[in-house]
């Protein structure tokens, strides 16, 4: 489902239903939390990464190249609301960790998109470090989607474990998505009911 608001969600359902009515075998999924997680570097178009960290820094220092990068239709920019984009903890970066890009922009007196690109220039040698939470979904959209018969729950969480080789891995929501789904869909919204065992 789209991340750009309730109206886009309704429009998506209309398109799915029209395709189904036309005989297409179609289904869709909906995220099982009110937020998604991705790397801040998804703001960057592929061409800006081809020359490695040094090349990326050069692009971001060049006003024309930076303008091209800002025109890239990225997952993050498609939200069209920097208040909904929140940085997770970046080691050694207490100045930006846990803040929204909108708040960082206000503190620095710069556009939030430029603040994000400044952070990426600083982190060019380790672009996997800056992660963001995208507060992309409303409960209205989720109820609308999950009540639809063609919807299935989805999660892109990575495999984790409290110890062993995966003990040091972190992914926000990896342990919580299923609990959130069942709590909301069964207990709170009553969109799903527990199937009673057969007595036959």
């Amino acid at each position: 489902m789209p991340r750009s608001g309730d109206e886009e969600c309704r429009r998506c359902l209309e398109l799915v239903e029209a395709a189904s009515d036309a005989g297409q075998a179609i289904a869709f999924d909906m995220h099982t939390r009110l937020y998604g997680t991705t790397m801040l570097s998804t703001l960057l178009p592929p061409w800006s990464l081809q020359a490695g960290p040094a090349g990326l820094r050069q692009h971001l220092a060049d006003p024309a190249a930076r303008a091209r990068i800002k025109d890239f239709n990225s997952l993050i920019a498609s939200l069209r609301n920097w208040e909904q984009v929140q940085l997770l903890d970046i080691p050694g970066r207490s100045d930006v960790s846990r803040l929204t890009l909108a708040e960082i922009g206000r503190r620095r007196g710069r556009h939030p998109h430029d603040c994000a690109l400044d952070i990426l220039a600083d982190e060019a040698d380790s672009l996997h470090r800056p992660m963001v939470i995208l507060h992309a979904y409303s409960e209205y959209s989720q109820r609308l989607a999950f009540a639809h018969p063609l919807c299935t729950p989805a999660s892109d969480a990575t495999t984790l474990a409290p110890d062993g080789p995966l003990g040091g891995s972190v992914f926000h929501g990896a342990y919580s998505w299923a609990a959130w789904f069942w709590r909301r869909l069964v207990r709170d919204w009553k969109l799903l009911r527990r199937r009673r065992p057969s007595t036959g």
Side-chain angles (χ1 to χ4, degrees):
M1 290 298 286
R3 295 175 170 87
S4 9
D6 295 340
E7 186 57 39
E8 288 295 317
C9 181
R10 286 190 292 268
R11 176 60 180 153
C12 184
L13 290 180
E14 291 172 1
L15 293 173
V16 168
E17 289 169 357
S20 180
D21 291 344
Q24 294 187 37
I26 189 170
F28 68 97
D29 60 43
M30 180 50 140
H31 209 51
T32 48
R33 294 182 297 275
L34 294 177
Y35 62 87
T37 306
T38 191
M39 292 185 290
L40 185 63
S41 61
T42 58
L43 283 170
L44 302 171
W47 62 263
S48 69
L49 301 167
Q50 291 176 353
L56 174 61
R57 290 192 183 95
Q58 288 182 346
H59 289 316
L60 292 175
D62 174 49
R66 179 177 278 239
R68 284 183 62 199
I69 290 172
K70 290 172 71 174
D71 283 339
F72 177 58
N73 187 25
S74 68
L75 170 65
I76 295 173
S78 70
L79 287 177
R80 302 193 294 271
N81 186 345
W82 299 102
E83 298 282 4
Q84 294 176 251
V85 184
Q86 184 174 8
L87 277 166
L88 299 178
D89 288 323
I90 305 176
R93 295 300 306 272
S94 60
D95 58 318
V96 295
S97 293
R98 305 192 183 190
L99 299 178
T100 67
L101 286 173
E103 178 59 26
I104 296 169
R106 286 190 289 270
R107 293 186 181 193
R108 296 186 174 187
R110 286 172 59 76
H111 191 281
H113 202 157
D114 283 307
C115 291
L117 297 182
D118 293 342
I119 293 167
L120 290 171
D122 293 340
E123 299 288 329
D125 291 311
S126 52
L127 287 177
H128 64 281
R129 295 203 322 163
M131 299 286 294
V132 292
I133 284 180
L134 307 178
H135 299 277
Y137 306 102
S138 71
E139 289 197 356
Y140 172 84
S141 288
Q142 291 203 320
R143 290 187 66 163
L144 193 65
F146 284 131
H148 199 283
L150 295 177
C151 180
T152 187
S155 175
D156 57 359
T158 55
T159 301
L160 296 182
D163 50 27
L166 299 178
S169 300
V170 175
F171 190 94
H172 287 69
Y175 287 115
S176 64
W177 75 265
W180 187 96
F181 177 77
W182 292 114
R183 176 167 57 90
R184 284 286 194 255
L185 270 289
V186 178
R187 191 188 71 186
D188 296 346
W189 298 342
K190 297 179 170 50
L191 295 176
L192 291 177
R193 290 179 294 179
R194 185 174 61 182
R195 188 173 182 177
R196 296 182 182 277
S198 172
T199 57

